[in-house]
Structure formats: C-alpha cells, structure tokens
Amino acid sequence: MINSFALHVPDAELEPEPLDPEQIVSGTPEVTGKVVRESADGRRVHGIWQITPGVVTDTEADEVFVVLSGRATVEFQDGPVLELGPGDLAVLREGDRTTWTVHETLRKVYTVDLGPVAAADED
C-alpha cells in the first residue's frame, strides 16, 4: 500500500460543507472542502478548505493552516486580529472563538489535531 501522493491544490475539486445558519453573521458565504488524509485513529486530519466572501463565527479546533489564495480578517473574541492572505501561516487553538470576515474567496491547506484519545476510548 502506498500512502504518499501529490495534489495540485489550486485545481482540487472540493465538496460542499454547509454552514450552520447560526454561524453566518452577514452575506451568503459558502464553504467547500476536501479531506486528503486522516490518521488511523481519526484524531489528525489534513485537508483543503475554502470559503466565499461573508462574515461567519466559529469555535476553532487545534489547527495549523497556510492560505493559498484570498483574503480574510480573523478576530478572536479575547485576543488578536489576524489579517490573512496568500502565503500566510496561522495557528489556531482549540476553543478559540473567532469571527471571520472573508474579503476574497479564501482557500487554505490545513492540519487539525482533534486531541488525545480519552482514557475511556483506549479500552
């Protein structure tokens, strides 16, 4: 079994990932994405994510991503404001509450860590 591969991210076809209407603050943003690899235990996910212009709220996972295209402002409830564009790397902490103002359709490549498996789940 071969696990290595390459993918031209700008041309990758993405699938719709409907937003919860309660997350939408303004506009009509649409989200699409593609999981390209997931760890055997499902705790680490690598993928591509895209959002069209609008304003949405979110509660973040533990994530590292690089913006490939587009622009957005990410405001943290009790923290900094990030201005993101092509080539920017961002780190989000699990539980961060954010508001994303997407100025231009943003596409990113990400890795999300969903945390350690709980002791009860290890049995």
Side-chain angles (χ1 to χ4, degrees), residues 83-112:
E83 296 293 340
L84 300 174
D88 288 336
L89 178 137
V91 177
L92 305 176
R93 293 179 319 205
E94 182 177 357
D96 282 343
R97 296 185 55 76
T98 56
T99 299
W100 289 66
T101 302
V102 180
H103 310 290
E104 300 170 10
T105 298
L106 183 136
R107 184 175 280 216
K108 67 181 184 178
V109 174
Y110 68 87
T111 296
V112 172

Side-chain angles (χ1 to χ4, degrees), residues 70-92:
R71 298 203 176 278
T73 302
V74 181
E75 297 177 60
F76 291 76
Q77 182 175 6
D78 296 314
V81 175
L82 306 178
E83 296 293 340
L84 300 174
D88 288 336
L89 178 137
V91 177
L92 305 176

